[in-house]
Amino acid sequence: MTDQNPPTASPFRSIRAVDYTVIFVRDMAAMRRFYEGILRFPLTRELSAGWIEYQIGGNTLALARPSRTAKDAPTPSGSASLQLAFKVAADDVDRCAEELLWHGVDLQEPPTNQPFGHRTLFFRDPDGNLLEVYAEI
């Protein structure tokens, strides 16, 4: 780092979207069963046994085993390393909750109308990441 002032026009201001999100997984088989079997995300491509992708709207969600780019220790059990929020229609929040319960997924918080205008549902994936399904109400 230098002591110079940063340029006034940062190249990071040209970022227009989050293109893809990578979840580093501990148990790939369990995570695949969850994201494909319970959440029903369609598999877009499988680059290797350690990297798979799902297309969700205009974004890609990838499941990956830690490798050359991230050799971090796994997140301790009971600690979320991220939260993902999936937007649905208002009626679908409750339907998603029913589907999760049918599959035996514990809800962290059942469908709830929030004072800021969202109906939310919270649950965890097999690696403990916090997931939210929400709708604007």
Side-chain angles (χ1 to χ4, degrees):
M1 267 175 105
T2 66
D3 291 332
Q4 298 176 354
N5 291 330
T8 56
S10 171
F12 291 106
R13 302 218 6 115
S14 66
I15 295 172
R16 296 292 175 248
V18 174
D19 187 53
Y20 64 93
T21 300
V22 179
I23 300 175
F24 292 113
V25 303
R26 290 188 288 263
D27 185 339
M28 182 65 84
M31 293 287 276
R32 285 194 72 165
R33 284 191 301 274
F34 183 81
Y35 283 92
E36 293 172 31
I38 295 175
L39 299 188
R40 306 287 176 103
F41 290 171
L43 181 66
T44 304
R45 59 183 189 161
E46 186 171 351
L47 298 179
S48 70
W51 183 282
I52 59 172
E53 297 177 357
Y54 306 99
Q55 192 67 36
I56 304 167
N59 296 295
T60 299
L61 177 65
L63 301 181
R65 288 193 179 104
S67 62
R68 65 181 172 79
T69 57
K71 296 181 184 349
D72 300 6
T75 304
S77 182
S79 300
S81 59
L82 63 85
Q83 175 179 329
L84 296 176
F86 301 105
K87 187 175 183 181
V88 299
D91 294 342
D92 288 333
V93 175
D94 292 82
R95 293 179 54 216
C96 288
E98 292 169 9
E99 180 86 6
L100 291 167
L101 290 170
W102 188 84
H103 283 285
V105 175
D106 292 328
L107 303 183
Q108 297 294 301
E109 181 182 285
T112 304
N113 289 341
Q114 303 293 346
F116 48 84
H118 286 181
R119 183 158 180 79
T120 60
L121 160 66
F122 290 93
F123 55 101
R124 293 185 184 271
D125 69 17
D127 272 3
N129 298 302
L130 187 60
L131 305 180
E132 174 186 1
V133 169
Y134 82 97
E136 295 177 357
I137 54 172

